[in-house]
Structures are given as C-alpha cells and as structure tokens.
Amino acid sequence: MQIDMIGDIHGCMDELKELTEKLGYDWEKGMPVHPGKRMLGFVGDLTDRGPKSLQVADTVWRLWKKGLATYVPGNHCNKLYRYFLGRNVQQTHGLETTVAELKACPPKEQQRHRRQFIELYEKSPLYQVLDSGKLVIVHAGIKRKNIGRMNKAIQTFALYGDITGEKNPDGTPVRRDWAKADMGDGWIVYGHTPVKEPRFAGHTVNIDTGCVFGGKLTALRYPDIETVSVPSSMPFVEEKFRTFD
Ligand SMILES: [Mn+2]
C-alpha cells in the first residue's frame, strides 16, 4: 500500500492544500486525488484553533466516502463529535472556533456538517492496522502489546497519549514518552504532541509538527518513510512545542 499520512491539521486548510499539491495530489475535483494509487491517512485533530476547520472536515469526509482516505479520530475530533451529539462539552481549547464557523453557516449546512462528521467519527476506529500489520495509525499513541486489543484504557491512550493524571505547571496534562521505549517492528504513525521536526523513535513517528502553532504541516510517505512538509501561515508559539532528549 502507498499512503501519505498527515496529522493534526486543526483547520489549516491552506497548508493542507499546499502539502497535498507538493505530494503530487490533484485538486481538480475539489479534493486531493493522486494520479497513481496513493491514498491519504489522517491521524486526527482535523479541526479547532485554525481558520478553516469545517473545510478540512468536509474534505476528509469526501475523501473517506470515496475510499481515497482513511482516518482515525483525535481528542479534538472526539470533543466535536460529543458537541454534535448535543452533549454538554466546554467550548474551549479551540472548539469555540469550530463552533463559531458552524454558527456562521445556514442551518441546512450546519446539519450537513453535523451528519457528515458523526458518520465519519462513528465509522472510524481509534487506531488502524494497515498493510498486514506493518503500519499502525493512531492519534496520540498505542503500546505495541495493545495492537489488536481494545478497552477503555487503550481508547484513552489513543486519544490523549500516555497521560498520568497529573498536570504540568502550565495546566497541561503530563504525558509520558511512550514512544521512547517502543522496540517493535511495524511503523506506528501518530501526532498529538507538537514537535518542531518529525520525531522518529524506533519504528514510531510523530508527525505533528504544530502547523496551527506556526510550525509546519507534515506528511509521512509510506512505504518510503520520507517526510514532506510545508510551512505554516500561523503565528509561531514557541511554548506549544515539546522537546525530547
Ligand atoms: Mn490531539
């Protein structure tokens, strides 16, 4: 299989367009279609904070519907899904921007976005094993021994990473560096934690290069295992990026 994985777009539609063009996708049909057999893989967090969340979600839904893309949800996707279900979720941490975009749409269009996103979310597993197990995509991570299993703890890990329940001084949750200890063979491709450069640790790759925080939007090409990035148009926010030793 030939797949280009992209993480944490967070409404950065212009960068998504630029990145997929750089990867050789054609936008003639209003969505990125590759002239060869390549497909796209989205590792979650399509929306929130960036300027065009609904366009990103709409594009991913259309690609997915046509079998041209696969997708796993992120924590922001989970929150938007719960918002669409009418749950009482806090409109903070970027959800407020997506809700503002929605409220600016005519009611019919709001319903369309809601229907599409609910469908995409409900039909997408929290992690996916691809290419006969040689590739796993997941938003925040998975322990290798858990591939093929599912329970509440694995779900939480897939969406939020290896959180301890503690908070950093700035109020963000403490996340353990699960990837550092990973020793397995197949590739695990994920995002969720912004890093200035794609981070390779064993056969894991974090491709969240913080586009919405002014970093870049990155794709990992498989099976080539080669990264391609485009710069972000957003202001750079240094403290949002994590460094690892
Ligand atoms: Mn995330």
Side-chain angles (χ1 to χ4, degrees), residues 162-184:
D162 198 358
I163 49 174
T164 62
E166 293 157 293
K167 294 263 166 88
N168 291 312
D170 66 353
T172 58
V174 172
R175 296 176 190 167
R176 285 196 204 95
D177 187 9
W178 65 273
K180 195 177 176 180
D182 182 83
M183 295 299 193

Side-chain angles (χ1 to χ4, degrees), residues 13 15 38 73 79 96-97 101 114 137 142 186 215 218 245:
M13 183 68 189
E15 290 86 341
R38 303 198 71 90
K79 202 173 173 192
E96 68 282 7
T97 71
E101 280 187 49
R114 176 177 180 273
I137 59 171
I142 187 166
T218 295
D245 38 68

Side-chain angles (χ1 to χ4, degrees), residues 178-200:
W178 65 273
K180 195 177 176 180
D182 182 83
M183 295 299 193
D185 275 336
W187 290 96
I188 298 177
V189 180
Y190 68 104
H192 186 57
T193 300
V195 282
K196 285 182 188 165
E197 295 297 330
R199 179 184 182 228
F200 287 77

Side-chain angles (χ1 to χ4, degrees), residues 37-240:
K37 281 187 180 150
R38 303 198 71 90
M39 63 183 291
L40 290 165
F42 296 96
V43 302
D45 284 3
L46 306 177
T47 61
D48 296 359
R49 297 193 175 111
K52 296 174 185 170
S53 288
L54 296 182
Q55 277 189 45
V56 173
D58 191 62
T59 303
V60 172
W61 177 82
R62 286 192 292 140
L63 286 167
W64 169 80
K65 205 65 185 165
K66 291 216 177 289
L68 298 172
T70 188
Y71 155 85
V72 290
N75 52 312
H76 286 261
C77 306
N78 171 268
K79 202 173 173 192
L80 179 61
Y81 170 68
R82 288 183 289 123
Y83 169 83
F84 276 138
L85 292 184
R87 305 271 174 81
N88 186 22
V89 293
Q90 284 194 356
Q91 289 173 36
T92 53
H93 300 294
L95 179 61
E96 68 282 7
T97 71
T98 305
V99 171
E101 280 187 49
L102 271 168
K103 290 193 169 154
C105 294
K108 257 195 167 162
E109 215 174 300
Q110 290 186 31
Q111 282 314 309
R112 178 177 63 83
H113 285 298
R114 176 177 180 273
R115 247 190 348 259
Q116 289 180 180
F117 195 79
I118 287 177
E119 184 190 17
L120 175 67
Y121 187 94
E122 290 184 345
K123 291 187 175 165
S124 301
L126 288 175
Y127 68 88
Q128 280 186 51
V129 181
L130 303 169
D131 205 17
S132 317
K134 286 183 279 193
L135 175 65
V136 174
I137 59 171
V138 61
H139 177 63
I142 187 166
K143 285 198 172 146
R144 217 168 269 271
K145 62 171 192 205
N146 289 330
I147 295 171
R149 304 175 58 222
M150 189 49 94
N151 60 36
K152 192 78 193 122
I154 297 167
Q155 282 175 20
T156 303
F157 201 115
L159 288 174
Y160 301 97
D162 198 358
I163 49 174
T164 62
E166 293 157 293
K167 294 263 166 88
N168 291 312
D170 66 353
T172 58
V174 172
R175 296 176 190 167
R176 285 196 204 95
D177 187 9
W178 65 273
K180 195 177 176 180
D182 182 83
M183 295 299 193
D185 275 336
W187 290 96
I188 298 177
V189 180
Y190 68 104
H192 186 57
T193 300
V195 282
K196 285 182 188 165
E197 295 297 330
R199 179 184 182 228
F200 287 77
H203 285 116
T204 72
V205 196
N206 176 0
I207 56 171
D208 178 9
T209 46
C211 188
V212 80
F213 299 121
K216 47 195 181 185
L217 190 64
T218 295
L220 179 75
R221 314 204 84 175
Y222 177 93
D224 328 68
I225 310 299
E226 184 183 284
T227 61
V228 177
S229 304
V230 294
S232 167
S233 60
M234 304 287 287
F236 187 72
V237 190
E238 171 80 39
E239 63 269 26
K240 294 292 183 184

